Amino acid sequence: MNNNSTTSEFLKMTSISDGIAVNTDIYGNNRAGRSFKSVLFRWKRSVYQLIWKHLLIYAIVYVLLSILYQFILNEDGKKNFRVLAEHCTGYSRSLNIMIVLGFFTSTTMQRLFNMQITIPGTSKSITMFILSLKPDLPEGPLIIEQYARWQILSWVLTFRLVSKPLSKIYPDLASLQSAGLLTQEERDILEKPEFTNPNTPRPLAVIDWILLLLKETFLKSRYFAEINYMRNVDVVMAYKKSCGNTIKFATQNISPALIQAVILAVYGFGCITLMARNFSKEDAPLSNALISYIPLMPGLQFFIYFAWLCFGRAAVDPFGDDEDDINVKQLVQSHIEDSIRLKDLYNRQLRDLFPNLVCHSSNVL
Amino acid sequence: MNNNSTTSEFLKMTSISDGIAVNTDIYGNNRAGRSFKSVLFRWKRSVYQLIWKHLLIYAIVYVLLSILYQFILNEDGKKNFRVLAEHCTGYSRSLNIMIVLGFFTSTTMQRLFNMQITIPGTSKSITMFILSLKPDLPEGPLIIEQYARWQILSWVLTFRLVSKPLSKIYPDLASLQSAGLLTQEERDILEKPEFTNPNTPRPLAVIDWILLLLKETFLKSRYFAEINYMRNVDVVMAYKKSCGNTIKFATQNISPALIQAVILAVYGFGCITLMARNFSKEDAPLSNALISYIPLMPGLQFFIYFAWLCFGRAAVDPFGDDEDDINVKQLVQSHIEDSIRLKDLYNRQLRDLFPNLVCHSSNVL
Amino acid sequence: MNNNSTTSEFLKMTSISDGIAVNTDIYGNNRAGRSFKSVLFRWKRSVYQLIWKHLLIYAIVYVLLSILYQFILNEDGKKNFRVLAEHCTGYSRSLNIMIVLGFFTSTTMQRLFNMQITIPGTSKSITMFILSLKPDLPEGPLIIEQYARWQILSWVLTFRLVSKPLSKIYPDLASLQSAGLLTQEERDILEKPEFTNPNTPRPLAVIDWILLLLKETFLKSRYFAEINYMRNVDVVMAYKKSCGNTIKFATQNISPALIQAVILAVYGFGCITLMARNFSKEDAPLSNALISYIPLMPGLQFFIYFAWLCFGRAAVDPFGDDEDDINVKQLVQSHIEDSIRLKDLYNRQLRDLFPNLVCHSSNVL
Amino acid sequence: MNNNSTTSEFLKMTSISDGIAVNTDIYGNNRAGRSFKSVLFRWKRSVYQLIWKHLLIYAIVYVLLSILYQFILNEDGKKNFRVLAEHCTGYSRSLNIMIVLGFFTSTTMQRLFNMQITIPGTSKSITMFILSLKPDLPEGPLIIEQYARWQILSWVLTFRLVSKPLSKIYPDLASLQSAGLLTQEERDILEKPEFTNPNTPRPLAVIDWILLLLKETFLKSRYFAEINYMRNVDVVMAYKKSCGNTIKFATQNISPALIQAVILAVYGFGCITLMARNFSKEDAPLSNALISYIPLMPGLQFFIYFAWLCFGRAAVDPFGDDEDDINVKQLVQSHIEDSIRLKDLYNRQLRDLFPNLVCHSSNVL
Amino acid sequence: MNNNSTTSEFLKMTSISDGIAVNTDIYGNNRAGRSFKSVLFRWKRSVYQLIWKHLLIYAIVYVLLSILYQFILNEDGKKNFRVLAEHCTGYSRSLNIMIVLGFFTSTTMQRLFNMQITIPGTSKSITMFILSLKPDLPEGPLIIEQYARWQILSWVLTFRLVSKPLSKIYPDLASLQSAGLLTQEERDILEKPEFTNPNTPRPLAVIDWILLLLKETFLKSRYFAEINYMRNVDVVMAYKKSCGNTIKFATQNISPALIQAVILAVYGFGCITLMARNFSKEDAPLSNALISYIPLMPGLQFFIYFAWLCFGRAAVDPFGDDEDDINVKQLVQSHIEDSIRLKDLYNRQLRDLFPNLVCHSSNVL
């Protein structure tokens, strides 16, 4: 195995998401928060897109019940219907679903915000490693190549555990290998029980290699100062903890029973409001028809509750396929590009970029 | 006592949880949060499993009260029943139990999330210790063995205090000894008052040994740099504080009086809703029967409140036996496996794993 | 003054709380959170114990008002009573006391949880100091003795300011002196204005001594490395900040006006619910008697509000005498025991504890 | 390119905001929080300014509906109107919009407060760099010039991504160049794909230059101590992470769907309250006219909800043009002034400022 | 300018608050939280003191309206009054002002608590500087004097920007000079544009001097170790950031529009409740008179809302003159006393305080 093949395989990594446009429409995103009109009438990533199906079913059932009452039921049936409707109306007003949802959604969101801040990144440890090495080591670029690839590898192995879209792209080690993130040799080691305990979570195994590489770099005196060894270990340990927290976020998550209870509550409430009607005593056919066949207000009520539920649930699992989720695929891509860019830090001199910059020559004077 | 026995006893540690499947079903867990149908109809770890008993009793009592009203009471009794029912209805609507529960549950959950992030881990201090040592010390593996085992021991002694399932597995020092976490000599020292003050919390006694080991390592110049001594002390002190916070979490917890008050509120509310009925003036036998004998809506109400209460209480004591609790037994297991794996970091060289990796040989060129 | 007397006085410190059982019933505490029955029927540290007096008075007044209405008032009086009752009923339903209480209690509790995590501890700075010293200094034990005692002293002086029970045990310097925490010489210095500005908070004066001791240790080259001086200063400054935050917690606390407002709101609400009655139009003597003379539901309502108020207030002042408060006396005790134990770290060698441990001898080989 | 031109271009940076008064009216801002009258009757940055248009439209529609009812509709139409009004009244009381808004606004605000604290600053890294250099390097001022300008440049490039007003001032690299923040050479490098991957976010490319400059400073031994190299790298990495968090705040923001849902809820509620009327049975023409034509109370209701919505939305996008937003333009200005001031730290001696200060001469004695 | 004058001017600093009793009544403060009676009947710092005026006006208007209804209005007027009252009653029950207030007050309070923890302090940097110097420098005390005074000066200049009471005491540089915090020379430098850019915030100018002093100390080799230079710079940069956060807290505060909206909501609600009356159909003159002329219950309602509003607003601006505010004047005082005390650390030896302490002599043995 020679250097070139490693490099070329590594460069292959960039290929997976060539088709994805990296330039997110940031302004379209948060600017929209400002002008009321533009935000109300957009469809992409809108709340309408999210819940129009539920609302449609709701409206249809509502109208069907109205038809049932007015055209199908006889006098006795109508009486029964009215009694049930009154019963439902009473409960629909005493149930405080909104409080349940408010606490549920704000709890999950704050959890998500905390997680976003502490998500692990590979850029710090790679930069630190590169800048810790003695300059002009002949083997420097190779070691950095190795180090950066293992960092990316451990990152991908970690997020494969928590993000379904990523686990589809990289279902097994073979896919990682063909993406250039893993060599055949490394794959063998990960798969052979005499090297790696099959119980060991794979990201940890790779982080062990990184630590061994740091140790080797120390033993071969490749750091420009001895203290850099322990500094790099610190950074890698912080990265490891951060990976662990991400996995914890996904595994010790909000209990499914809680999500179940909230969904049930909202669906139950939706069913109650379908029946909850007031029958006016006044004889106003037009209004009564409007109220019976155009469920604007119960629909609005259900819309608010259901939308709130959706946001809470999206916050529970932020690594999914939804448009509002954290785009893990793009994140992988940018980590890879980052690592390629950062590797240049080792060999590149400032004068390579800025040949006629004053501060180079001034030392000569 | 020779080295081999220590090692073998140490390896015995792994045996306790062989039967436990380590691969948690992560996707089953949080993916379920997405597709509405799958999450509503699962039973395992569901909210139904949690509270079906209470709901059943609720339904039976509700129906019995309906039978009492309709078939057993005479006219006077019915009047009295109606008056009571009206009284209850009034209160059931003015009591804002949901707000109580919302604040209770969200407070306990945020406390739990904070705790999850700061739970103590042994991996950082073990890694740090191993990488701080001079390479190729003949006694290195033995010291590391010792250090790692004491770390695990202090971790188990700490969590025995807060987790009931763990305290059942390790009820006393003898059980720890037979699990290979404790030698006879160490047990004697922990138990003899001339060595260890019986008032001393045992995890602290073991952490003292760890500190003494760090000191000895320093005195015998086994660190590759003097500064590593204090760095390791820092890491151990942070670990100790983290253990202390975990014990604080369990001992200075939400007061039992608060839990009592919330339970009483929900039960009291449940009883009120059992009686709270509206008697329709319209003569609609079918609907009235439905309302009287199928307590869907009061049941839904009680379900929401009771479920919320359960989540709050589960968050108060997260180290228990429930399926949603933090699985402390598995955590012990993974800490032990981790420590075994990490010990390899000392003797293993990168070239042992990757014999034909470029960066080894490049130095020779 | 010789060494022995200092030591013996120091040891006296342990005597104050011999009678206190240190083994808190942790399981009794949080396990109770699980099984519903056991937690509902306990009396110790229960919510019943906390508020039974208020509930009793509430019930008596309620029944007296009922008697007044039914047996004492004439027809005109009854009319007036009914009008007032109706008026109260209206207000009792529109007042949202529960939201006030919810925000009040959750705000104070989260403040308390934050404080619990950042409470100052003496163990870190003592350990750090001991391990920073050169081994085998003849004066080492004496300096450590001094250092540890001053740490404890500053801790006690700090918590005396915030904890009433502790300020009863140590009302003045004399009591601290007789407890062995303070020597006569030190007391003189604290009390003489030529040495200590009387405006200086006493914990700060003692922390100044600690800093002077650190400086002296540096000047006499007792640290094994120069860098240890600044590290110890860092640790002591963090300890000082932590003490300052604890005092801030108590002095810049929730305003008493806020507590007053909340208490008034709950009492006012309690009074309103005493009068708030619905007089059924149906003639159902049994039920009406039940409702009039057994105030179950208004009592439950008052119970929830009053209990919630109690928890909020307990969180405002967590260093008191209540059973749920942080037990400052026991904390002092454990800090003292800790410091005694830690002092052993200086002279004790690992081989003293484990004479036949492998890692000692292996170096000889 | 000579030094002078760089300097003069750099100084041009200050020109953009000469017209902006830097002295914010702090007292006008928070003092107003105290005296009730002054705060109620101000117009600038007031809530009236924010929402008077919506309120006016609300009032007009309300009055038009009243006129419709009273003067235009015939008896049948009136009946229909009454029925609809009754229907709306019922829903307007059962919809708990305020809870939705409360959770929405408090969640976004807490997110904003967290962000305010962690907003990246250039002052720390510039100061650190200046103080790390050997004194009296001839090329020192030039390097510092370079370093400070790149710091400002990366800051502006970062905030251009999140702040619309800033992206209007600096729409492209040309505008940055003409503002003196970028030289022609640097612009070429940023724009040529052989130097900078077009996918690389531009702030990252500039931070890479900064790292290269740190490395060059190290290689040319311009730090007074070797350890300063890694310290500066640490500070720059923290700055980079902070930039990344700011971008994350803007891109992984509250989902637009959530904002949409909340806006819809408030608008829907506003429409409902327009119709929600109670028609008094008593014949009181004056009051009825008041109620019909002066929509004080529904207006107040709508005012509160709408105002709350505005605050929540403002917190979602805090870098905009509104008066309450973070003034990014002024922030750029103060960062530039800061950097100019800080550069003086390198060449200036304390004696230049304070020629007759005692502590200079005392060393001579 | 000689040393003595500096010292004496510096000592003058202490004079400003001689009259203020430093011993805060801590127990009076938080103990009161416990015994219900004592806290309800205190006047000082009570909620009564805060809002009795508003309550009085409320009561008077309420009674006047009652008189208007009963004695002045004719039958038609009464009808109109009743209709309006009914209208108001409806709205008073559907407006959820309490939720608005709850979120507003808890958000502002949590912001305040965070700020309290991170408030900048001068003690750490002064202590660190003193302990970093070589012992027995002849110019040491002078440098420390300078350093400590500048720290205090920057602190006062910072808090002058956020605290109105402090800006009254120190309205300009002249007042700071006469208080001994500023010398004539320093004032000239701050005021002359050739030395200090008039746009520069003054605290930053002083912090620049501090950094220059640190640099000078380094250049003259006054630190006992080179590393102390950067450590002190770190501490000063942290102090600077902390000052910046405090200014941010005050300038990027809760928007005045939000405060306006909340005040308007509470006042509007107060007005509605003044009119919101139920006219009992029963003829009960006594009760009706009570209800009409003793506005206990609407008063209680208004009291709770208004009190809550006051707490929220007090938390928005915590540096004011109110009794519950952070006492900035006393804080300045204690910072000055602290700095005077800390300066003793430089020259004082432990043996000066404790002449016969064992650990001094033991080294001689």
Side-chain angles (χ1 to χ4, degrees), chain D residues 27 31 33-34 36 39 46-47 116 123 128 282 284 287 324 341 345-346 353 356-357 360 362, chain E residues 80 82 110 139 142 146 160 162 185 189 208 215-216 222 234 240 248 255 260 267 313 317 325:
Chain D
Y27 296 121
R31 278 321 123 182
R34 278 300 154 92
F36 278 63
V39 86
S46 75
V47 70
Q116 282 180 0
S123 141
M128 196 57 111
E282 286 202 74
S287 288
D324 275 338
R341 216 187 62 246
L345 282 179
Y346 187 65
L353 275 177
N356 45 3
L357 205 69
H360 307 302
S362 58
Chain E
N80 278 313
R82 275 201 300 270
Q110 274 177 7
E139 72 274 26
L142 278 177
Q146 194 83 334
R160 242 188 52 183
V162 299
E185 193 185 8
I189 287 169
D208 281 352
K215 189 179 134 191
E216 159 124 351
R222 286 172 184 144
D234 274 352
K240 186 180 173 185
K248 250 186 232 166
S255 133
Q260 228 173 13
Y267 277 8
R313 293 182 64 206
D317 173 25
D325 284 340

Side-chain angles (χ1 to χ4, degrees), chain C residues 1-12 141-142 145-146 149 180 183 343, chain E residues 358:
Chain C
M1 184 185 207
N2 62 21
N3 308 353
N4 290 341
S5 77
T6 310
T7 316
S8 62
E9 274 191 273
F10 191 58
L11 286 169
K12 256 197 288 173
L142 277 178
E145 175 86 51
Q146 193 83 334
R149 192 161 50 75
T183 67
K343 281 186 292 180
Chain E
V358 194

Side-chain angles (χ1 to χ4, degrees), chain B residues 295-359:
Chain B
L296 259 184
M297 262 159 291
L300 179 64
Q301 219 178 5
F302 181 66
F303 163 78
I304 295 170
Y305 292 174
F306 195 78
W308 219 245
L309 171 65
C310 290
F311 302 127
R313 293 181 64 206
V316 168
D317 173 27
F319 300 112
D321 269 325
D322 285 5
E323 292 186 60
D324 275 338
D325 285 341
I326 294 172
N327 191 336
V328 181
K329 282 178 284 187
Q330 188 182 318
L331 219 54
V332 173
Q333 185 58 16
S334 73
H335 274 283
I336 291 173
E337 285 173 5
D338 243 45
S339 74
I340 293 173
R341 216 188 61 247
L342 289 172
K343 280 185 293 179
D344 280 350
L345 282 179
Y346 187 67
N347 279 338
R348 213 176 238 187
Q349 299 291 328
L350 203 53
R351 93 195 55 180
D352 304 342
L353 275 176
F354 303 98
N356 46 3
L357 205 67
V358 194
C359 56

Side-chain angles (χ1 to χ4, degrees), chain C residues 143-155:
Chain C
I143 298 176
I144 289 165
E145 175 86 51
Q146 193 83 334
Y147 189 85
R149 192 161 50 75
W150 284 348
Q151 280 280 3
I152 302 285
L153 181 61
S154 64
W155 197 95

Side-chain angles (χ1 to χ4, degrees), chain E residues 116-129:
Chain E
Q116 283 179 1
I117 295 293
T118 57
I119 218 171
T122 60
S123 142
K124 187 176 181 190
S125 49
I126 297 178
T127 310
M128 196 57 109
F129 183 70

